[in-house]
Amino acid sequence: QLRSISVRENDPNVALRLIVESGGCHGYQYKLELTSVNTDGSTPEDFLFVHPTKQPSHVLVDPISMTLLKGSTVDFTTELIGSSFNIIDNPQAKGGCGCGVSWEATI
């Protein structure tokens, strides 16, 4: 999906930024947004993940969020109400609210 977005936006530096914010009824929630690598969208402290053969496939994670996302899987889902990137199988998360927006950290 990142490649499709890159082509559509004519931006070879398109990236998916993964952020963990405090909030919600269980303490933490995910924020996923599109940005660019090597522009105002990334910082030297960010972790940059790139697939070895599928380009572009940039994923950015700030150091604080990295500790709460370590071992997680990013997926792209298509449903009747729309399509989106999602964090699934986060080993750092336990429990969550009924609506699935917020979660509690295991640490």
Side-chain angles (χ1 to χ4, degrees):
Q1 286 301 319
L2 282 175
R3 286 186 308 206
S4 298
I5 294 168
S6 174
V7 169
R8 186 175 62 239
E9 300 292 324
N10 195 25
D11 181 2
N13 295 316
V14 71
L16 178 65
R17 176 174 288 286
L18 310 178
I19 303 166
V20 175
E21 296 180 328
S22 60
C25 56
H26 274 75
Y28 295 99
Q29 57 191 13
Y30 301 117
K31 181 177 178 183
L32 289 77
E33 60 188 24
L34 292 175
T35 188
S36 288
V37 176
N38 300 327
T39 64
D40 294 338
S42 63
T43 67
E45 295 83 26
D46 287 334
F47 290 92
L48 173 63
F49 298 93
V50 180
H51 192 279
T53 59
K54 297 178 182 175
Q55 301 294 325
S57 59
H58 308 106
V59 176
L60 294 168
V61 183
D62 65 88
I64 294 170
S65 296
M66 185 63 182
T67 60
L68 295 167
L69 290 169
K70 189 174 183 177
S72 298
T73 301
V74 180
D75 192 19
F76 187 83
T77 57
T78 302
E79 299 174 351
L80 291 175
I81 59 171
S83 302
S84 63
F85 289 98
N86 297 296
I87 306 291
I88 58 172
D89 300 328
N90 183 350
Q92 311 308 320
K94 68 175 180 179
C97 63
C99 66
V101 172
S102 67
W103 51 276
E104 184 179 348
T106 58
I107 27 182

